[in-house]
Amino acid sequence: MNQKILKLENLIRFHTVFRQLHSLSNRRMLVQWSPVFSSAYPVWTTQLCFRPWQTDAIIGVALSQYRLLVTKKGERAQRSPLSSSKSKKEVEVWIGMTTEELARAMEKDIDCVYEALMNTAIDIDSLEAHSHLDEVWIKEVVKKMGMKLKWSKLKQDKVRENKDAVRRPQADPALLTPRSPVVTVMGHVDHGKTTLLDKLRKTQVAAMEAGGITQHIGAFLVSLPSGEKITFLDTPGHAAFSAMRARGAQVTDIVILVVAADDGVMKQTVESIEHAKDAQVPIILAVNKCDKTEADPEKVKKELLAHDVVCEDYGGDVQAVHISALTGDNLMALAEATIALAEMLELKADPSGPVEGTVIESFTDKGRGPVTTAIIQRGTLRKGSILVAGKSWAKVRLMFDENGKPIHEAYPSMPVGIVGWRDLPSAGDEILEVESESRAREVVNWRKHEQEQEKNKEDLKIIEEKRKEHQEAHRKAREKYGTLHWKERSFLKYQEKKEQKPLKKKEKEERDSNVLPIIIKGDVDGSVEAIVNIMDTYDASHECELQLVHFGVGDISENDVNLAETFHGVIYGFNVNAGNVIQKSATKKGVKIKLHKIIYRLIEDLQEELSSRLPCIVEEHPIGSLTSLKHHKDDISVIKTGMDCGLSLDEEKIEFKVGDEIVCYEEKEVPAKTSWDPGF
C-alpha cells in the first residue's frame, strides 16, 4: 500500500512541476483560452495559470482520499478472516473441573451452568459449586453457551513428588540386639484375661474395670523374678472389640489364648485364633479356671483341634499350661513357657537410628492434650524427637510408662505414653521419626493430599454412577412420552406432579420421628472405633433410620450439645464426663445426654431409644362382655356346653350366619421393639 501511495505522489508532483513551468512562461498574460497548434498534431491547449497554494491543496486532497481508500481496502482484507475466528469465544477446560471452575472459565455466573444443565439427565439438586463435572457435561455447558471448547493439559493436576515417610530398610544383623517379647492376651469375655494380667503385674486393674470387662487396649511391661521382661497387651474380649484385637495381633510376637476350663471354646475364642493366624503369630494355650470342680482341660484341647490348634499332648507344637488366674496357680510356668518360646523365635531389634513404632491407643487428656500409647519397634525414642503418625505429627514433650512415671528413653518392645501431638492420631497408625518439624509437616501434607485425591476419585465414580442412573431414567421417560402428542404429554406430567403433594405437618413429624440422630463421645480412640463399628451392623433402617451425626474423643462439650439440638439428636458418652454447665445447657435445649461405663449397657440404651421411635403394636386380648344370656325365656348367668342359648350383644349392626364363632376381645397398644440385634 505504501509503494502505491509513493508512486501516486511522484506522478502528481511531476505533473505539478510541468504546470508551474508552463505558467511561468505566461505569467504576464491574462488567463484566457487560446488555440495552440502543435508541431506534431493540432490540439486545443488550455492556458490556465495556477498559483502555488492551489497546487498544494489539490495534492493534499488527492493523497488523503487515496490513502483513505487504500486503508479501508486493507482493513476489509484483514477483517474477513478474523471475523470467523472471533465468532465463538474459546473456553479452556480440563477433566474433573468443578461447577464453579467452569463458570469462572467462561466468565459467567454459576447459575448459567445450572441453566445449561437443566432438562438433562444430571441431577441439578445434587449439583454444588464444588461438585466435579463429567466430560460430557462440560461439553454440554460450553456448547449451550455458544462457546468453543479447548482442553487444557496445564489445568490437570500435576503429578506431585511423593513426600511420604517410610520405614528404613532391614538393619544389618550384626547391629541387632535381643529384645523383650510383646505378648497379646486374647480370649472370650469373662474367661479371666484381666485377672491373669493382674496377677502378673501386681496391680488391681480388674477392680477398676467396669463390669469386669477391659474397655480398651492397655500395654504393660512386666518384670519377672528371673530378670526377663515381657510386654503384655491386654485386648478386650468383648464382641464389640474385634478390630482392636486384630490391631493387637499385628504388633505382637506371641499370643496367649485364655480359655476357661469350665466353659470351653466360645465365639471370641475362635475369633482370636483367626487373628493370630492372620498375623502369623504363635499361640500358647492358657487353660484357666482349673481350680473349679467342673473344669475339664482335656475337653478344651479337643475342641481346639477343630480349629487347627494342636497341643503338644496331641502331637502338635502348641504349649498348653493349666492355670488359675484367681489363685495364681502355675502362672510362673506360663511365664517360663512364654520366655522359652521367645528364645526360640530369637527376637531382636535395632536400637539405633530413627524410631519406628505403632500407636496402640490414643486419647485426649485435659492437661496434656493428645496422648498416645505406643510400642517402640525400632530405634530409641527420646524427648524432642519429631514423630509422624497417620496425618498427625508430634515433637515429643513428655514420655511416661504404664504407671504414669516420666521416662527419658524408650527402647524396642517397650510400651510408652507420648505427649506432644499436634492432632490425635488413630490407634493402629504407624509411627516414624523424621529429621525436622518442616519434614514432618511435609509428610502430613502429602498424606492429606493423597487422601484428598482418593476422595476425588471416589466422588467422580459416584458422579458417573449417578449420571448413568439419570440417563437411564431420562431414556425411559422419553420412551414413555415420546409417542404422545404434546397436549397428552403435558397432561400426564401435570397428573404426576399433582400426585406428588407436599407432606403435611403431621406427616412430616411422623417421618422425622422415624429418624434417630446420635453423637458418640468416648474416652479413647479405640473405644469410639468399636462403638462406630457396632453402628455399622445396624440393619433396621426400614423401622427407624439411625444417623451418626458426629463422633470423637473427649468429654462432652457445648459444641456437642449445639449439634444435638440442631439435629434433634441424642448424645451418648462412653467413659467420659459432662460438667454441670453442660448438663444444664442440654436440659435447657431439650437435648438428652446418656453416659455409660459399660459398652453393652450403652448399646441396650440405644436399642431402647430406637424402640421408642417406633409406632406401638396393637394386640388383641380376648374378653367376655355380653349384656344378657338366656335359656328359653329364663335369664341365666351360666350356660353349659351343648345347650342352646340366646345372646344379646351391645352392637346392633352385627349380622350372624350359621357356623359363626363369637369371640369378645379388646385391643391394647404395646410398645414395639427394634429388630436390630448387634450380636450380644
Side-chain angles (χ1 to χ4, degrees), residues 117-256:
L117 291 174
M118 287 181 69
N119 300 320
T120 61
I122 197 168
D123 186 7
I124 300 294
D125 295 332
S126 64
L127 199 64
E128 297 180 1
H130 61 273
S131 299
H132 294 275
L133 292 173
D134 196 21
E135 181 179 340
V136 65
W137 302 124
I138 295 173
K139 290 180 178 178
E140 183 74 13
V141 172
V142 175
K143 181 181 177 182
K144 287 187 176 181
M145 297 305 295
M147 299 181 181
K148 188 179 178 182
L149 184 123
K150 178 185 176 183
W151 291 103
S152 173
K153 294 181 180 179
L154 297 176
K155 292 293 182 181
Q156 295 180 5
D157 291 334
K158 295 181 180 179
V159 178
R160 291 177 58 175
E161 183 183 353
N162 191 331
K163 298 291 185 179
D164 203 0
V166 295
R167 286 180 178 265
R168 290 179 286 155
Q170 293 292 332
D172 185 353
L175 300 176
L176 301 180
T177 58
R179 64 174 178 83
S180 304
V182 178
V183 179
T184 299
V185 180
M186 291 186 174
H188 191 71
V189 61
D190 293 335
H191 275 202
K193 304 183 315 306
T194 304
T195 307
L196 170 61
L197 288 174
D198 177 45
K199 287 292 182 181
L200 287 171
R201 57 190 167 86
K202 302 294 182 183
T203 57
Q204 299 297 320
V205 173
M208 297 168 60
E209 296 288 358
I213 297 175
T214 309
Q215 303 293 358
H216 55 83
I217 290 180
F220 311 96
L221 186 66
V222 176
S223 298
L224 303 178
S226 58
E228 286 92 352
K229 293 182 178 180
I230 304 174
T231 296
F232 283 97
L233 300 183
D234 183 15
T235 66
H238 199 273
F241 294 91
S242 174
M244 298 173 69
R245 284 199 300 279
R247 184 165 61 247
Q250 290 168 1
V251 296
T252 195
D253 303 308
I254 300 169
V255 166
I256 293 181

Side-chain angles (χ1 to χ4, degrees), residues 423-553:
D423 298 297
L424 195 66
S426 299
D429 283 347
E430 181 184 60
I431 296 176
L432 297 174
E433 184 179 2
V434 293
E435 57 271 18
S436 63
E437 293 185 21
S438 60
R439 172 62 179 145
R441 283 190 287 267
E442 185 179 55
V443 172
V444 170
N445 290 337
W446 164 257
R447 292 178 177 180
K448 288 179 178 178
H449 166 74
E450 212 169 26
Q451 184 185 38
E452 185 180 350
Q453 294 301 307
E454 289 297 321
K455 184 179 181 299
N456 289 342
K457 288 179 182 178
E458 290 296 322
D459 290 345
L460 287 172
K461 186 178 178 182
I462 293 170
I463 289 171
E464 179 63 20
E465 290 174 356
K466 287 285 185 183
R467 183 183 68 82
K468 289 179 179 179
E469 288 177 9
H470 288 295
Q471 274 187 337
E472 182 64 19
H474 183 63
R475 184 186 63 80
K476 289 180 178 179
R478 289 184 65 182
E479 289 177 357
K480 181 179 179 182
Y481 300 118
T483 58
L484 299 177
H485 188 267
W486 69 270
K487 290 183 179 180
E488 295 174 330
R489 185 164 58 246
S490 300
F491 177 73
L492 285 176
K493 287 183 177 180
Y494 169 75
Q495 290 292 105
E496 290 176 358
K497 190 175 181 181
K498 191 177 179 181
E499 291 175 1
Q500 297 174 354
K501 296 178 180 177
L503 292 176
K504 296 179 181 178
K505 184 178 180 182
K506 186 177 181 181
E507 292 174 339
K508 190 173 184 296
E509 289 176 356
E510 289 177 357
R511 184 195 65 182
D512 294 342
S513 66
N514 289 332
V515 179
L516 176 59
I518 60 170
I519 295 171
I520 303 294
K521 296 299 290 287
D523 56 341
V524 293
D525 184 69
S527 299
V528 176
E529 178 190 13
I531 297 170
V532 172
N533 286 341
I534 296 174
M535 301 296 106
D536 291 338
T537 67
Y538 185 71
D539 56 359
S541 296
H542 59 284
E543 298 173 346
C544 180
E545 186 179 349
L546 182 62
Q547 291 182 347
L548 183 59
V549 176
H550 171 70
F551 60 89
V553 176

